Amino acid sequence: MTATDRRAVPGNDPAGTAKNDTVAGVVRQWRAVHPDLDTGPMEIIGRINRCAALLQQAEDAPLRRAGLSRAEFDLLGALRRTGHELTPGELARETFSSGAAVTKRLKQLTERGLVERRGDTRDRRVAHVRLTDAGRDLVDGILPEQLAYETAALSGLDTPDRGHLAALLGDLLVQLEGRLVAPRG
Amino acid sequence: MTATDRRAVPGNDPAGTAKNDTVAGVVRQWRAVHPDLDTGPMEIIGRINRCAALLQQAEDAPLRRAGLSRAEFDLLGALRRTGHELTPGELARETFSSGAAVTKRLKQLTERGLVERRGDTRDRRVAHVRLTDAGRDLVDGILPEQLAYETAALSGLDTPDRGHLAALLGDLLVQLEGRLVAPRG
DNA sequence: AGCAGGTGTTTTACTAGTGAAACACCAGAG
DNA sequence: CTCTGGTGTTTCACTAGTAAAACACCTGCT
């Protein structure tokens, strides 16, 4: 621990990636404590997690202004982008959340007049949920603002980098979805 | 809506990124409903969020086996990797969580004998938290398994792609941290 | 000394989410 | 018709997190 230099240490960075973000610091600490472990995956996964956290925080601003949580907006967005009614179960799958969570959110959104439900005529277990006009208008009003925030958040990357990043994340996501979201029979 | 093709539509993909992950489908839906909006940012941010969710889910497996939540492991990990005692406030900053959350977690981890606290001698408001031997052993036992899961999750990408992805995410993260984590005085 | 304002931590009251069980219903077998 | 097993949805009991207030203590000013 004598005279430790806080800056990047040459020769310690095989991938040539000498960032000075928070994740780089964390990885450096782990390497110092466990020099034997391969910390490579942390550089990707740690950054993905941290980027996700920061981006969500940034995006929450326009939503809070509209009195919506991210989860509520996701639900409304699913209805808006599919363009048709969805059942609670479909909404759960579409928004990657549990059925119980969807039930709760639908209750609130219905009370606020943003969605409406009707029972299925043939199968009385299932409900069909659709946006009200107010719900549709709300989503359409928020979306451009949301995208503007996102564009601003990404403005530090130039266009080719953005394309490249999207492509690499797409590759990764295909792998993850194939592996983790068990092959549907 | 007549004869809509579910596959990628040629000419609609300026970045040349014709993925078939879930995000690509979502973006396609939005484009159909709002052809005027630039959905570019979604391709990155949507994928970051989705990757983060899937990766966390995957990583939670080894943690649950050890009876820890991700948040608890983050806290223990912060103590382990810094190598010295931390105050609750420092732990909160280090793990990006609220002070109240740290208080709660410390209470549980102390009861389980994984961390210990002692009061500061000069300033009796502050506490110093350190890992017990059991805590250190637990982290050291989990970490390799955790990294193995991470390596497996990323195994779909070849080495140069991994380096490239880490670098791009690092660039993005530097931007985001500079922008969103207000310039510290 | 004594008070004012600031900081580190905990408590409080509350919210959103979870898994498991409950409920309501359908569809097929006998 | 009436079971039986399965599926869509909701309820229940509980957990983890949050923001704001409370608390405990320090520091500097007078």
Side-chain angles (χ1 to χ4, degrees):
Chain A
M1 279 291 196
T2 63
T4 22
D5 187 351
R6 258 173 195 72
R7 308 202 153 274
V9 179
N12 243 355
D13 185 26
T17 331
K19 288 287 141 289
N20 262 332
D21 54 15
T22 44
V23 172
V26 168
V27 171
R28 224 152 25 224
Q29 289 181 322
W30 278 122
R31 268 208 305 256
V33 178
H34 281 298
D36 46 318
L37 293 178
D38 173 17
T39 52
M42 286 185 183
E43 307 241 1
I44 292 179
I45 295 183
R47 287 195 176 108
I48 286 178
N49 285 331
R50 185 85 186 105
C51 283
L54 287 172
L55 288 168
Q56 289 188 14
Q57 186 181 318
E59 289 182 335
D60 282 350
L63 292 181
R64 293 188 86 91
R65 215 173 310 157
L68 284 179
S69 69
R70 158 164 300 275
E72 288 167 333
F73 182 72
D74 280 355
L75 195 160
L76 297 178
L79 288 168
R80 180 65 179 117
R81 63 173 208 262
T82 59
H84 50 73
E85 296 180 332
L86 293 171
T87 68
E90 288 168 334
L91 280 167
R93 258 159 283 157
E94 203 69 37
T95 62
F96 306 106
S97 43
S98 71
V102 169
T103 298
K104 271 194 180 180
R105 297 202 271 258
L106 285 178
K107 194 176 161 199
Q108 297 190 130
L109 294 171
T110 306
E111 281 165 7
R112 288 210 246 165
L114 298 174
V115 303
E116 282 171 348
R117 42 195 318 162
R118 69 174 179 83
D120 188 290
T121 39
R122 299 166 181 263
D123 186 340
R124 275 181 301 173
R125 285 169 305 181
V126 333
H128 297 270
V129 181
R130 65 163 166 263
L131 287 175
T132 61
D133 289 352
R136 189 178 36 64
D137 291 351
L138 184 59
V139 173
D140 287 354
I142 292 174
L143 192 66
E145 200 180 350
Q146 185 86 354
L147 282 168
Y149 266 78
E150 297 187 347
T151 303
L154 299 181
S155 63
L157 262 49
D158 60 26
T159 308
D161 275 357
R162 281 203 285 269
H164 213 140
L165 180 54
L168 285 167
L169 287 169
D171 288 347
L172 175 57
L173 190 45
V174 167
Q175 299 289 332
L176 293 176
E177 293 190 324
R179 187 177 332 237
L180 302 174
V181 183
R184 17 152 84 265
Chain B
M1 282 293 191
T2 61
T4 23
D5 187 351
R6 258 173 195 72
R7 308 203 153 272
V9 179
N12 245 355
D13 187 26
T17 333
K19 290 286 142 292
N20 262 332
D21 54 15
T22 45
V23 172
V26 168
V27 170
R28 245 182 331 256
Q29 289 180 321
W30 278 121
R31 269 208 304 256
V33 177
H34 281 297
D36 47 317
L37 292 178
D38 173 17
T39 52
M42 285 184 183
E43 307 241 0
I44 292 180
I45 295 183
R47 286 192 178 110
I48 286 179
N49 285 332
R50 186 85 186 102
C51 284
L54 287 172
L55 288 168
Q56 290 189 12
Q57 187 182 316
E59 290 182 334
D60 282 349
L63 292 180
R64 293 189 86 90
R65 215 174 310 156
L68 285 179
S69 70
R70 156 165 302 274
E72 288 167 333
F73 182 73
D74 280 355
L75 195 160
L76 297 178
L79 288 168
R80 181 66 179 116
R81 63 173 208 262
T82 59
H84 51 73
E85 296 180 332
L86 292 171
T87 68
E90 288 168 334
L91 280 168
R93 258 159 284 158
E94 204 68 37
T95 62
F96 306 105
S97 42
S98 71
V102 169
T103 297
K104 270 195 179 179
R105 297 201 272 258
L106 285 178
K107 193 177 162 199
Q108 297 192 128
L109 294 171
T110 305
E111 281 165 6
R112 288 209 247 165
L114 299 174
V115 302
E116 281 171 348
R117 43 194 316 161
R118 68 173 180 83
D120 187 289
T121 39
R122 298 165 183 264
D123 186 340
R124 276 181 300 173
R125 285 170 304 181
V126 335
H128 296 271
V129 182
R130 66 165 165 262
L131 287 176
T132 62
D133 289 353
R136 188 178 37 64
D137 291 351
L138 184 58
V139 173
D140 287 354
I142 293 175
L143 192 66
E145 200 181 349
Q146 185 85 356
L147 281 167
Y149 266 78
E150 297 187 346
T151 303
L154 299 181
S155 63
L157 262 47
D158 60 27
T159 308
D161 274 357
R162 280 203 286 269
H164 214 138
L165 180 53
L168 285 167
L169 287 169
D171 289 347
L172 176 58
L173 190 45
V174 166
Q175 300 288 334
L176 292 177
E177 293 190 323
R179 187 177 331 237
L180 302 174
V181 183
R184 20 150 83 260

